[in-house]
Amino acid sequence: MLLIALAGGTVAERRQIADRLVASGKGFLVSFDQPAPMADRAEARTRTLRDALEGLNDQATAAVPGVVVTHCLSEDEAVLVRSRGGVLWHVYGYPSGLVVIRQGDTIVTSREEGFRHVLDPMEALSEVMLSRMASGEAGHARAALGKLAHA
């Protein structure tokens, strides 16, 4: 399963990026948006995220090949996402004070076009998919790209 978590930025920017990814994904991506994005409840948020991801794994994963975690507000959530093979995207402009930007993380903008080292969400999604195609996850990535291209 493709797993993308958004950190930094504002609540509105993260939701805008997640909505754009889901809309462009043509059924390939769904968003997971915890109802109360409050960083001071990191343990509870991480537990809720873990339960949701395990629930998706219990179902037919072909039905939900990709999840966008709209609000990654703690390092514990980031560790969980990374431990499941997910990627962290940090929204440009207002970095998270709690989620560390690590080597390999992507910086994205909520704007239509990226600039310098900052990618727009579609460019970042393309980079993730190409990376997965180059790795051992080529089957899921090719199927997802085919679905995006023909839907």
Side-chain angles (χ1 to χ4, degrees), residues 55-116:
L56 288 173
N57 283 335
D58 290 344
Q59 299 172 5
T61 54
V64 184
V67 176
V68 180
V69 178
T70 308
H71 308 293
C72 180
L73 302 182
S74 72
E75 190 62 23
D76 289 344
E77 289 171 280
V79 167
L80 175 64
V81 167
R82 288 183 175 112
S83 75
R84 293 177 177 260
V87 294
L88 266 285
W89 292 2
H90 301 268
V91 180
Y92 180 79
Y94 186 73
S96 169
L98 302 172
V99 180
V100 177
I101 300 173
R102 302 210 185 275
Q103 186 173 355
D105 288 354
T106 300
I107 310 298
V108 296
T109 180
S110 59
R111 297 180 183 175
E112 291 295 317
E113 293 183 18
F115 52 95
R116 296 188 312 260

Side-chain angles (χ1 to χ4, degrees), residues 30-43:
V30 297
S31 66
F32 178 74
D33 186 344
Q34 293 197 46
M38 298 174 1
D40 62 340
R41 301 185 58 222
E43 188 175 318

Side-chain angles (χ1 to χ4, degrees), residues 13-37:
E13 287 173 322
R14 290 190 302 269
R15 284 190 175 133
Q16 178 184 1
I17 291 168
D19 290 348
R20 186 170 169 205
L21 289 169
V22 169
S24 72
K26 300 175 179 139
F28 165 68
L29 294 169
V30 297
S31 66
F32 178 74
D33 186 344
Q34 293 197 46

